[in-house]
């Protein structure tokens, strides 16, 4: 795949993610890796199963089906591969939903964070991610979904020392609980290639 092309699953998504995808592809391809989307921002749940998944009591297999890593990268000469989660930011911080964190732990994914102003790609194995600055529960009219409540439980149990901020007004996004991490101290993606 050319680093100039953006996979069709990115069409209609924010420009930030498209820029991040191009940057991440360049780094992987420069080091001899092949990278392809798995269905960016998609789930593995078929429409017929959605009603059952929505009421399932949060077994790990359900959250793994709902929160799938964004892409796969393979280095054929060394027979290495990563399931990769792609994040982008214009700040010195990035956000990751609690339910995505829980699923990525089960997938044993490589988290990449594209810092767009500098063009730097940071990475960390999800199970080695340092504690977030804070865990945020956005202000919301509805109760947390089973997936969000389960993800929040996992995030809080992994980082019990981190302050939880509840009922925080948030203007965009899904209103799902999330962790807020600093990019400082994360290694560059090249360290994993």
């Amino acid at each position: 795949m050319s680093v100039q092309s953006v996979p069709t699953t990115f069409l209609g998504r924010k420009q930030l993610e498209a820029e991040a995808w191009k940057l991440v592809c360049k780094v992987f391809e420069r080091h001899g890796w092949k990278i392809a989307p798995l269905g960016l921002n998609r789930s593995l749940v078929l429409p017929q199963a959605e009603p059952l998944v929505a009421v399932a009591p949060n077994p790990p297999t359900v959250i793994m089906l709902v929160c799938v890593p964004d892409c796969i990268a393979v280095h054929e000469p060394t027979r290495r591969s990563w399931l990769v989660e792609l994040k982008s930011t214009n700040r010195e911080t990035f956000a990751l939903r609690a339910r995505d964190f829980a699923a990525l732990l089960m997938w044993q994914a490589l988290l990449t964070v594209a810092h767009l102003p500098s063009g730097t790609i940071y990475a960390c194995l999800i199970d080695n991610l340092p504690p977030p600055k804070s865990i945020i529960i956005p202000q919301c009219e509805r109760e947390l979904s089973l997936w969000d409540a389960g993800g929040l439980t996992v995030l809080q149990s992994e980082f019990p020392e981190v302050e939880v901020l509840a009922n925080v007004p948030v203007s965009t996004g899904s209103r799902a609980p999330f962790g807020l991490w600093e990019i400082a101290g994360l290694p560059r993606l090249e360290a994993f290639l």
Side-chain angles (χ1 to χ4, degrees):
M1 174 181 301
S2 164
V3 294
Q4 298 305 315
S5 66
V6 176
T8 57
T9 52
F10 260 137
L11 292 178
R13 292 191 67 189
K14 295 185 285 185
Q15 183 63 30
L16 296 178
E17 276 105 8
E19 290 176 38
W21 170 255
K22 290 177 185 178
L23 291 171
V24 168
C25 282
K26 278 184 185 179
V27 174
F28 272 102
E29 290 173 352
R30 185 171 54 241
H31 289 275
W33 289 68
K34 294 179 183 176
I35 186 167
L38 287 172
L40 299 156
N41 216 20
R42 306 241 183 229
S43 96
L44 296 177
V45 180
L46 294 174
Q48 308 89 296
E50 284 180 9
L52 295 176
V53 169
V55 296
N58 198 36
T61 50
V62 170
I63 203 163
M64 286 180 78
L65 294 174
V66 174
C67 304
V68 179
D70 293 322
C71 50
I72 184 167
V74 176
H75 190 253
E76 291 174 350
T78 60
R79 305 183 81 156
R80 295 172 52 218
S81 65
W82 295 112
L83 292 173
V84 181
E85 178 69 9
L86 176 64
K87 291 296 188 191
S88 62
T89 186
N90 279 319
R91 301 181 179 108
E92 299 303 312
T93 59
F94 69 95
L96 181 62
R97 288 186 307 188
R99 68 177 174 216
D100 292 336
F101 174 81
L104 293 170
L105 276 176
M106 290 180 257
W107 283 108
Q108 299 179 359
L110 178 68
L111 175 68
T112 61
V113 181
H115 184 253
L116 299 176
S118 68
T120 303
I121 309 298
Y122 298 93
C124 188
L125 291 171
I126 196 72
D127 55 351
N128 290 336
L129 195 60
K133 267 177 60 165
S134 57
I135 297 171
I136 298 172
I137 304 172
Q139 189 175 37
C140 190
E141 302 284 322
R142 60 176 168 70
E143 281 187 47
L144 292 179
S145 71
L146 292 173
W147 306 327
D148 288 331
L152 181 59
T153 298
V154 170
L155 188 58
Q156 288 179 296
S157 67
E158 288 288 320
F159 305 110
E161 72 282 9
V162 174
E163 180 181 18
V164 177
L165 306 172
N167 292 319
V168 176
V170 175
S171 60
T172 61
S174 67
R175 306 288 192 281
F178 62 93
L180 187 64
W181 277 266
E182 295 179 334
I183 59 173
L186 290 180
R188 290 185 180 213
L189 174 57
E190 288 86 351
F192 297 90
L193 307 179

